[in-house]
Amino acid sequence: MEYFVELFLGGLTRGSIYALIALGYTMVYGIIQLINFAHGEIYMIGAFTALIISSVLSLLGLNTIAIFVIASFVAVIYSSAYGFTVEKIAYKPLRHAPRLSALISAIGMSMFLYNYVLLAQTSDFLPFPNNIPEFKFMEPYSHIFSSTELVILTTTTVVMILLGLLIKCTRIGKAMRATAQDRDMAMLVGIDVNRVISVTFVVGSATAALGGVLIASHIGQINYFIGFIAGIKAFVAAVLGGIGSVPGAVLGSFVLGWTESFATGYVSSDYEDVFAFIFLVLILIFRPAGILGRSTAEKV
Amino acid sequence: MLEVKNIETFYGNIQALKDVSIQVSEGEIITLIGANGAGKTTTLMSISGIVPPRFGEIYFMGKPIHKMSPNNIVSLGISQVPEGRRIFPYLTVLENLDMGAFLRNDTENIKRDMEYIFELFPLLAQRRRQPGGTLSGGEQQMLAISRAIMARPRLLLLDEPSLGLAPIIIRQIFDIITKINRENKTTIFLVEQNANLALKVANRGYVMENGRITISDSAQSLLSNDKVRKAYLGL
Ligand SMILES: Nc1ncnc2c1ncn2[C@@H]1O[C@H](COP(=O)(O)OP(=O)(O)OP(=O)(O)O)[C@@H](O)[C@H]1O
Ligand SMILES: [Mg+2]
């Protein structure tokens, strides 16, 4: 039973990280019907930024909680700026071009970004310091659920709630929903669609960067290629849940997280990825639009 | 108020509008009639900035708008009820109306305007919490017009509001259009295939064929124009 709980919680943690990344895929897809292949790289850049900032700050002798908070904050800002810029450079000029052009541009952007980090940094795995504190009250459970995992889960929950409020209640959120449902009509009621698209990229990049910092803290090492793997997994989660749907991305992420966790725990860790994809294929056979996807519009 | 001067609009290499000029004075109802594919929708989309003209100019209240982005054009006071209604399907009736008022922040007046709309269309009031996509065609047209009114436009562009509706609903919608024109002094630019109906409520009319304006006259004269009678009134 305890093993089950451990796997369950482990799946929840994985799912949280996938969700933080999958949100960016699904929101961007919802607004401009583009699969932003460079999204995983934004997550990777978030982790690298946090690593650099953490190293500098620890030389200055700050305490670990302050380092974690500041590094996360800077990583989020920096990655958001990247997301914003990628859209302006690689996608906006192709807004009216055939869908495939933008997709190729996205793949190109992804390769450019990880190669750039590869050249600027190194191809080796770099150790990533875990500056998340060990909580006293977590001690009795630390063998099945660490403080870091608790922080990951809590942060994700808070981010989801904030994002839900943003989409549901704010002016920009309403503009996002309207744009996802009918872009030209959104323009006809006076929505600045370029701004909506920029905000979508910024928000998606911010959550991905946060995911990058959290998982790097948990796993303890990063390299230039982590964005590719995590990006594909999160993309699978988004498709699983129904690409374009925000609740779908979250649900798909948890489903994927649990599948991987239980498959690894009860069957074999060698087949972790295989199970995820078998599950994906099965769900898409029975629900081609994904678990919560609609065959037509509403995406955000 | 609105001056469209020799515009030429393209979709890629396909030219949809050729040397189109239209003038609308404040307070008027003008109508643009023409067969399928004549370029009526393209004309409205050019004015709204969704498909900007490649050549020519458009002025609204003296300001050039042909290079403005659609949201800025809306903020000057031009709203459109597009062809096919284009209701946001997963937003409720209330949220759709709210989107119409997107550029306004006078909360009190917005509320009052909503009440006004629910008086105009009691049916919409009953369905206020229902997703827009679940309304009937007639209800959606009412909602589309209401959404445009929520912006308090000075110029209202309407693209075939009668399309696919029962005669009694069409009558109701045209009554409302003339009412908006009379009571709110909203200038109306009405695109219609139902020429008979359109020419009865309009002051002036334009006839469009293959992307060109071929006739422009008072609504009265158009109703008795032989060519118009034959081609568009089925007489
Ligand atoms: N998105 C588009 N891409 C390419 N060509 C288009 C596009 N939209 C319209 N056209 C072409 O432009 C011309 C004018 O079309 P438009 O929709 O303005 O006509 P319309 O007068 O509104 O017709 P209807 O009465 O059928 O609505 C047509 O030949 C049409 O095929
Ligand atoms: Mg048309």
Side-chain angles (χ1 to χ4, degrees):
Chain A
M1 187 60 205
E2 193 180 86
Y3 189 50
F4 177 85
V5 172
E6 184 185 340
L7 294 178
F8 180 86
L9 292 172
L12 214 51
T13 310
R14 265 172 196 267
S16 298
I17 299 297
Y18 292 151
L20 287 174
I21 311 173
L23 284 172
Y25 278 115
T26 216
M27 292 202 309
V28 164
Y29 186 87
I31 301 272
I32 57 174
Q33 287 77 52
L34 168 80
I35 293 159
N36 177 16
F37 276 108
H39 188 57
E41 274 58 54
I42 298 291
Y43 151 93
M44 177 267 295
I45 287 170
F48 267 94
T49 310
L51 176 59
I52 294 166
I53 300 291
S54 306
S55 312
V56 173
L57 292 180
S58 72
L59 286 179
L60 297 177
L62 254 67
N63 84 31
T64 53
I65 300 182
I67 293 176
F68 176 71
V69 171
I70 296 171
S72 307
F73 186 75
V74 175
V76 163
I77 303 286
Y78 194 70
S79 300
S80 298
Y82 258 94
F84 178 88
T85 313
V86 164
E87 192 271 325
K88 290 276 180 261
I89 292 175
Y91 307 143
K92 191 164 178 232
L94 297 171
R95 191 84 50 81
H96 299 285
R99 195 84 59 85
L100 197 59
S101 315
L103 204 63
I104 290 168
S105 185
I107 294 172
M109 206 64 211
S110 161
M111 296 203 281
F112 168 76
L113 287 174
Y114 72 68
N115 280 300
Y116 156 71
V117 173
L118 168 65
L119 293 174
Q121 301 290 329
T122 163
S123 64
D124 298 333
F125 270 96
L126 298 172
F128 193 101
N130 187 356
N131 290 315
I132 299 173
E134 291 293 329
F135 303 119
K136 267 262 166 338
F137 63 89
M138 286 299 290
E139 246 160 45
Y141 317 103
S142 61
H143 56 295
I144 55 168
F145 197 57
S146 69
S147 295
T148 303
E149 289 178 293
L150 180 69
V151 168
I152 291 176
L153 204 54
T154 317
T155 311
T156 309
T157 312
V158 171
V159 167
M160 299 296 154
I161 291 170
L162 289 179
L163 193 67
L165 291 175
L166 175 89
I167 291 172
K168 194 80 197 158
C169 305
T170 66
R171 197 175 128 85
I172 187 76
K174 285 178 191 165
M176 285 163 88
R177 281 194 289 157
T179 305
Q181 289 174 36
D182 189 334
R183 197 196 308 173
D184 282 351
M185 192 60 229
M187 295 193 216
L188 285 176
V189 296
I191 292 169
D192 182 348
V193 166
N194 285 327
R195 192 158 158 263
V196 169
I197 294 172
S198 289
V199 170
T200 307
F201 272 84
V202 165
V203 171
S205 304
T207 61
L210 199 56
V213 181
L214 290 170
I215 196 68
S217 303
H218 185 44
I219 292 177
Q221 56 173 17
I222 58 174
N223 81 346
Y224 72 99
F225 210 59
I226 56 167
F228 185 80
I229 317 253
I232 295 259
K233 293 273 187 70
F235 174 64
V236 166
V239 172
L240 202 59
I243 186 122
S245 156
V246 167
V250 177
L251 185 64
S253 298
F254 286 121
V255 168
L256 186 65
W258 280 318
T259 310
E260 288 186 352
S261 182
F262 286 122
T264 314
Y266 288 125
V267 189
S268 156
S269 60
D270 299 340
Y271 294 106
E272 164 187 330
D273 296 347
V274 177
F275 277 100
F277 287 98
I278 290 175
F279 208 68
L280 177 74
V281 169
L282 282 180
I283 289 208
L284 292 186
I285 286 172
F286 294 106
R287 281 197 65 93
I291 305 172
L292 295 183
R294 297 194 231 226
S295 32
T296 47
E298 177 157 65
K299 290 133 184 175
V300 184
Chain B
M1 166 180 242
L2 179 76
E3 207 170 337
V4 178
K5 281 174 141 175
N6 316 101
I7 60 165
E8 319 245 329
T9 301
F10 293 75
Y11 293 102
N13 295 324
I14 305 161
Q15 184 165 11
L17 298 184
K18 295 162 193 149
D19 197 24
V20 169
S21 295
I22 293 171
Q23 270 145 43
V24 188
S25 310
E26 189 133 25
E28 270 194 308
I29 299 184
I30 74 124
T31 183
L32 175 63
I33 58 180
N36 287 114
K40 307 180 296 296
T41 298
T42 307
T43 305
L44 293 192
M45 288 305 179
S46 287
I47 297 171
S48 284
I50 302 285
V51 191
R54 192 173 293 176
F55 306 109
E57 284 139 28
I58 305 174
Y59 292 89
F60 181 65
M61 318 287 294
K63 271 195 197 131
I65 59 167
H66 46 277
K67 291 208 167 77
M68 275 191 189
S69 58
N71 54 307
N72 289 330
I73 293 174
V74 176
S75 72
L76 290 178
I78 303 181
S79 286
Q80 189 182 149
V81 180
E83 184 170 26
R85 300 152 200 143
R86 309 285 285 266
I87 296 303
F88 297 114
Y90 302 106
L91 298 187
T92 64
V93 168
L94 268 179
E95 287 173 323
N96 267 282
L97 291 173
D98 214 31
M99 290 317 302
F102 187 76
L103 291 176
R104 295 172 56 185
N105 35 31
D106 46 340
T107 323
E108 280 307 305
N109 290 332
I110 291 176
K111 240 186 222 148
R112 211 164 319 133
D113 288 358
M114 261 196 212
E115 292 309 315
Y116 171 72
I117 276 161
F118 288 145
E119 269 168 45
L120 281 183
F121 300 111
L123 264 176
L124 291 184
Q126 287 172 31
R127 310 220 182 289
R128 62 178 87 193
R129 309 222 173 268
Q130 206 169 307
T134 63
L135 301 186
S136 75
E139 291 162 350
Q140 286 196 0
Q141 191 63 63
M142 292 173 195
L143 180 56
I145 294 174
S146 305
R147 181 178 57 189
I149 297 174
M150 285 304 293
R152 287 209 175 171
R154 297 202 237 200
L155 172 64
L156 182 59
L157 312 174
L158 292 143
D159 198 345
E160 302 201 37
S162 73
L163 195 71
L165 303 184
I168 183 166
I169 309 273
I170 296 179
R171 163 77 50 83
Q172 202 184 343
I173 280 174
F174 272 71
D175 283 348
I176 300 278
I177 293 171
T178 48
K179 188 171 169 184
I180 297 165
N181 174 252
R182 245 184 302 114
E183 290 181 0
N184 308 354
K185 309 269 174 285
T186 309
T187 310
I188 309 273
F189 187 144
L190 175 65
V191 162
E192 262 299 342
Q193 295 222 29
N194 192 333
N196 194 16
L197 204 60
L199 289 170
K200 278 188 183 137
V201 301
N203 308 113
R204 293 188 303 117
Y206 292 83
V207 176
M208 180 170 253
E209 284 170 64
N210 296 321
R212 286 181 199 282
I213 300 287
T214 50
I215 313 175
S216 121
D217 210 335
S218 73
Q220 286 285 309
S221 322
L222 287 175
L223 275 170
S224 52
N225 180 314
D226 274 347
K227 205 178 152 220
V228 173
R229 283 165 70 94
K230 247 197 219 112
Y232 302 104
L233 300 175
L235 299 171

